[in-house]
Every structure is written in C-alpha cells, then in structure tokens.
Amino acid sequence: MFDLENKSPRILVVGDLMIDHYIWGDCNRISPEAPVQVVNVRSESNRFGGSCNVVNNLIALGAKVSVCGVVGEDSDGRWLVETLESLGVGIEHIFIDPSRPTTKKSRVVISNQQVLRVDRESSAPVDSALLKKVREDLDFLLSGVDCVIISDYDKGLLHYDFTQHIISLARSENKPVLCDPKGVNYAKYRGATLLTPNKKEASLATNIPIVDDESLLQAGNALKKMCELSISLITLSEDGIGIIDKSLTKIPTYVQEVYDVTGAGDTVIAALGFALSSGLDIYKASEFANAAAAVVVGKVGSASATHIEIERYLHSHQSKESNKVFNKEQVKCALDSLKSINKESKIVFTNGCFDILHRGHIQYLRQARALGDVLIVGLNSDTSVSALKGANRPINPQDDRAFLLANLECVDFVVIFDEETPKELIRFLAPDVLVKGADYEGKEVVGSEYVKEVKLLPFVEGKSSTKIIEKIKGANK
C-alpha cells in the first residue's frame, strides 16, 4: 500500500535519551501500614523511552539510525548505550555527563493498568563544555543523513541556541527536520520543516482554544507563521492528523481498542520522518503514521510498529470498517502489499450476481474462502445482470448486493464489474485460485488461463435466487 518495506533512509535523532522501566505485578491485598496496594512483582523490564523510543520505532521500520544525546555515568546509561549499539544504531554521538543521572521512568503495572510512576531525572541544562562537543559533532554528521528528528522532552539538552543551530544546519543542507515540541514557547523550533504538537499543545502555544475545525485551522496557520514551518500539522488523537495548508485536511485514523498511549507521539514522528525521507508526500506520510500509531496504542508500554503489523492492521481495517467494496485498482494495490509481506499468500477469486443472498451463497463463499488466505468476490453490476438475466433483474441494486457481501466475515474484497464475464477483472487481479460452481464441470471456465488452479464447488440443492423469485411470484398470484 505504501511501498516502504524496502526503504532504509538515514535518519539522525537528537534529543533526550530515557529508559522506560516497567514493574509488572499482581495485587491481592492492601498494606496494613497504609491504605495502599501491595504489589507482588512478577517481572521487570527496561524499554526505550523518550528519544530512544523514536529510535526504536525507526529501527523497526528499517531505517539506518544515528542518535545524539546525553546519558549519565551510571548502569542505566551503560545499558542504554549498549542496547542501542546491539541494534545497529550509531552511538558515536552519545555523550556522558557524570553530573546527571540517566533519565529513567519506572511504572508499576497491575493487570495491564499503570498504577504508579517514579521518575529519576535531571532537567538542569547540560554542561556547556559538553554541549560544545555535541555541536561540533553535529556539524559534520548532518551531511550523511536524509532527515533529522528533534525529540524534545525538556530535560536540559534542547535549549534555544542548540535547537536553532540544529535546524539551521539541517535546512542549509536541504535536510527535512521534524520536531516533537515541548512547553509553550515554540520560538526555538523556528525554521523546522514541521512540528507534531497535539491539540492541547497547539492550543497552549498559539493561545487559540481548539474546539472545532475552524479554530483548528486558525491554530495551524498561527503555528506555521509563528515558527516559519514548511508544513503545519496538529495531531488529533483518535481523529487522526490535521494538515493545514490553505485549508484543513484531516487524515483520519481508525478506532480500535486502546491499551496504552505511551509513546504514541514518538511513533507518529518516527513514521512521518521515515515516510517523508522515503519519498512520500505529507498526506500519504500521515496515513502511514496514523496506521503505525494505531498499532502501537493496541500494545502495553512504549512500543513500535513494523511494516507487517501496519499492513495487517490496514487490511483488517479495510475488512471490518470500509465495507470491503473497492475498485479493481485499489484491490490490486492491496494484493501487491500482501504479497510483498508474504509471497505464499493464496488469493481466491469468485464471481456472481448474488441477487438475493441465501444459504447456498453463504455456504459456497465460506468454502471458497477456506481455499486460501484472501477471498475476492467479483460482483456483476446492475447493467451486467440485466444483460445476463433480463430487464427485470436484478431485484436488488448493486450497492445493496455489495453491502451484504461485504458484511460477510468470509469475504475480504468486493469488486463490481460491468462486463458480462469477469475475464478482464481476473486478468487484472491475477488471483491464485478461481472458484466456480459444480455446474461448470466439463465446461470452459472464463478466466482460467490467468490463474494457477480452478476449483469447482457444489451448490446447496434447491437454493437459488431464481427459485426464490419464482416462489414469490407464485405466492402473489
């Protein structure tokens, strides 16, 4: 769908490096010492947090990543650097500051519910001598990357002068620079390609309460002017991403059960950086970022999304949310994406009028779906049905027939075609298996030359649209 699986842009992440520490446990009693829960610890784990989570998301997508930031001279800092290095991340530009701890956020989780967070951190400005070394490193590092992501958690690294230095340097070399902002003063992000504030952050930064599309457009335009951005966008949580140009364009996301929003913003900026660096425009990049974020919020804890997970998610959404009715070009695109993920995926195709949906149809379609991984139903249009069965047919119009088919769990895609036969549609889609009824035994099956195999399935005896229509006519005499 996005054709990004084989892309590997070089991306530099500059920002506050953190550890998200999780304590997983059970609680069956209240402490006799105070009215608090007693947690029996089952396990503990460290995960990437802050800018490191942006790095983790980029690695999951296949980017070549370098990271620039500061850690403390402690065991947590060593764990962070060693783990990043083990993933192939460029760590040469991570600096150690003995005067500060490595930022670590410990979360206590009971039954997938976070009940407590403990932070170990310093938000004091990074030592000026150390920061000078960081700046000197960046001066030659930027020439070797395709994109820069500034991940600001307001922990003392990204003050005004340093942030402006990064942005100016990147833009002087025509490198896109994306910023995940913090605070209410966005002056330090002036000149960036884009920012990724949410509605609350954008409202505070612009002093424009966002309550509807009009105020969203106003805030987006204010951000663009104030920060001299190339692209203005505001993330809208479950409503997707709003892109503000001369008008507002909303890139929708898809509703699903949310387990944990931790790190969703990191996923969005990572996916945007990856997609833009790989040649997508901001609209397609935002679709990609929305899908990646939707995968992540369905997991517990800071997480990342792979291309396979994103494609599966989108395919699942198309199957459940979009009625599964597409034109042939859209279906072909979806099939190509599925095949790129798994070349062994078996695509099954069948066709028919399905004028009055009945038990025989359902059983036939279930059997067809069991022959492969995806079932496409080619549906004769009203014009096509009339040409085949007479001027009084179909009984049900094509949109109604398509809607009913799309709501069957065994059907993955519905494509309406105007021709009397599906030959051209089969040639275009090139499915693996072509399914027809047993009445084609010994007959030529249209489109069979474009598939690997033809399967004939038995009908349920006595069940057909024609017989139902005849019975209705007889009852009305």
Side-chain angles (χ1 to χ4, degrees), residues 167-187:
I167 292 171
S168 297
L169 195 60
R171 298 312 295 271
S172 70
E173 298 194 20
N174 295 316
K175 306 295 173 72
V177 54
L178 287 61
C179 302
D180 188 0
K182 278 293 180 290
V184 296
N185 184 0
Y186 283 11

Side-chain angles (χ1 to χ4, degrees), residues 114-135:
Q114 185 183 148
V115 298
L116 179 68
R117 195 178 94 180
V118 179
D119 291 359
R120 301 174 181 88
E121 63 183 20
S122 170
S123 297
V126 171
D127 178 76
S128 58
L130 184 61
L131 195 60
K132 183 180 179 182
K133 293 181 181 179
V134 177
R135 288 184 60 157

Side-chain angles (χ1 to χ4, degrees), residues 11 13 53-63 65 149 269-271 273-274:
I11 298 178
V13 177
N53 193 39
V54 177
V55 172
N56 193 39
N57 276 271
L58 289 167
I59 290 294
L61 294 172
V65 188
I149 293 177
I269 198 166
F274 185 94

Side-chain angles (χ1 to χ4, degrees), residues 47-193:
R47 299 184 184 180
F48 291 132
S51 300
C52 296
N53 193 39
V54 177
V55 172
N56 193 39
N57 276 271
L58 289 167
I59 290 294
L61 294 172
K64 296 177 180 176
V65 188
S66 296
V67 61
C68 178
V70 177
V71 298
E73 192 174 28
D74 49 32
S75 59
D76 289 329
R78 287 190 292 274
W79 179 87
L80 236 176
V81 173
E82 290 170 1
T83 308
L84 287 168
E85 185 178 26
S86 71
L87 295 176
V89 176
I91 59 164
E92 298 83 1
H93 313 287
I94 297 178
F95 294 83
I96 297 173
D97 185 347
S99 67
R100 60 196 301 125
T102 300
T103 301
K104 183 175 183 178
K105 299 181 178 182
S106 297
R107 297 172 174 90
V108 180
V109 182
I110 301 173
S111 300
N112 288 341
Q113 178 65 50
Q114 185 183 148
V115 298
L116 179 68
R117 195 178 94 180
V118 179
D119 291 359
R120 301 174 181 88
E121 63 183 20
S122 170
S123 297
V126 171
D127 178 76
S128 58
L130 184 61
L131 195 60
K132 183 180 179 182
K133 293 181 181 179
V134 177
R135 288 184 60 157
E136 290 171 352
D137 256 35
L138 288 178
D139 288 347
F140 72 87
L141 177 60
L142 285 182
S143 62
V145 301
D146 301 307
C147 174
V148 179
I149 293 177
I150 295 176
S151 177
D152 191 356
Y153 278 79
D154 197 24
K155 302 303 177 188
L157 175 65
L158 291 161
H159 60 68
Y160 179 89
D161 289 341
F162 182 50
T163 305
Q164 277 293 290
H165 177 73
I166 300 168
I167 292 171
S168 297
L169 195 60
R171 298 312 295 271
S172 70
E173 298 194 20
N174 295 316
K175 306 295 173 72
V177 54
L178 287 61
C179 302
D180 188 0
K182 278 293 180 290
V184 296
N185 184 0
Y186 283 11
K188 66 178 177 180
Y189 308 115
R190 185 178 292 112
T193 303

Side-chain angles (χ1 to χ4, degrees), residues 339-409:
K339 286 286 190 178
S340 70
I341 296 169
N342 182 4
K343 293 181 180 180
E344 302 303 316
S345 295
K346 185 176 285 188
I347 311 302
V348 181
F349 178 92
T350 193
N351 67 280
C353 301
F354 298 98
D355 194 359
I356 298 178
L357 200 61
H358 53 72
R359 176 180 175 178
H361 288 144
I362 305 300
Q363 184 165 316
Y364 172 81
L365 291 171
R366 284 178 176 173
Q367 290 177 321
R369 179 62 173 78
L371 295 173
D373 301 296
V374 173
L375 174 61
I376 305 167
V377 178
L379 181 66
N380 292 77
S381 68
D382 291 348
T383 302
S384 177
V385 175
S386 295
L388 291 169
K389 297 183 178 293
N392 293 328
R393 298 283 296 275
I395 302 299
N396 290 308
Q398 63 189 39
D399 288 345
D400 290 357
R401 292 182 285 125
F403 178 83
L404 291 173
L405 288 169
N407 278 274
L408 297 177
E409 186 177 355

Side-chain angles (χ1 to χ4, degrees), residues 146-314:
D146 301 307
C147 174
V148 179
I149 293 177
I150 295 176
S151 177
D152 191 356
Y153 278 79
D154 197 24
K155 302 303 177 188
L157 175 65
L158 291 161
H159 60 68
Y160 179 89
D161 289 341
F162 182 50
T163 305
Q164 277 293 290
H165 177 73
I166 300 168
I167 292 171
S168 297
L169 195 60
R171 298 312 295 271
S172 70
E173 298 194 20
N174 295 316
K175 306 295 173 72
V177 54
L178 287 61
C179 302
D180 188 0
K182 278 293 180 290
V184 296
N185 184 0
Y186 283 11
K188 66 178 177 180
Y189 308 115
R190 185 178 292 112
T193 303
L194 63 82
L195 310 182
T196 58
N198 58 35
K199 280 198 294 187
K200 181 180 179 181
E201 291 168 335
S203 293
L204 292 172
T206 61
N207 201 30
I208 298 173
I210 298 176
V211 295
D212 53 23
D213 285 355
E214 183 178 352
S215 54
L216 178 62
L217 180 61
Q218 290 174 351
N221 282 325
L223 278 176
K224 188 170 187 178
K225 182 178 180 180
M226 179 173 68
C227 296
E228 300 174 13
L229 305 173
S230 301
I231 299 166
S232 183
L233 65 80
I234 297 172
T235 63
L236 308 174
S237 188
E238 68 275 6
D239 293 324
I241 294 175
I243 301 173
I244 295 89
D245 194 357
K246 293 180 180 178
S247 59
L248 169 65
T249 301
K250 283 187 176 179
I251 308 297
T253 189
Y254 315 118
V255 177
Q256 72 163 32
E257 189 168 6
V258 175
Y259 286 98
D260 194 343
V261 297
T262 303
D266 298 330
T267 300
V268 167
I269 198 166
L272 283 172
F274 185 94
L276 291 171
S277 300
S278 300
L280 294 190
D281 61 40
I282 187 58
Y283 300 98
K284 293 299 290 183
S286 295
E287 289 181 31
F288 180 72
N290 273 341
V295 170
V296 164
V297 298
K299 302 178 180 181
V300 177
S302 300
S304 58
T306 65
H307 289 289
I308 291 177
E309 289 174 319
I310 292 169
E311 292 293 346
R312 283 176 180 168
Y313 173 81
L314 288 171

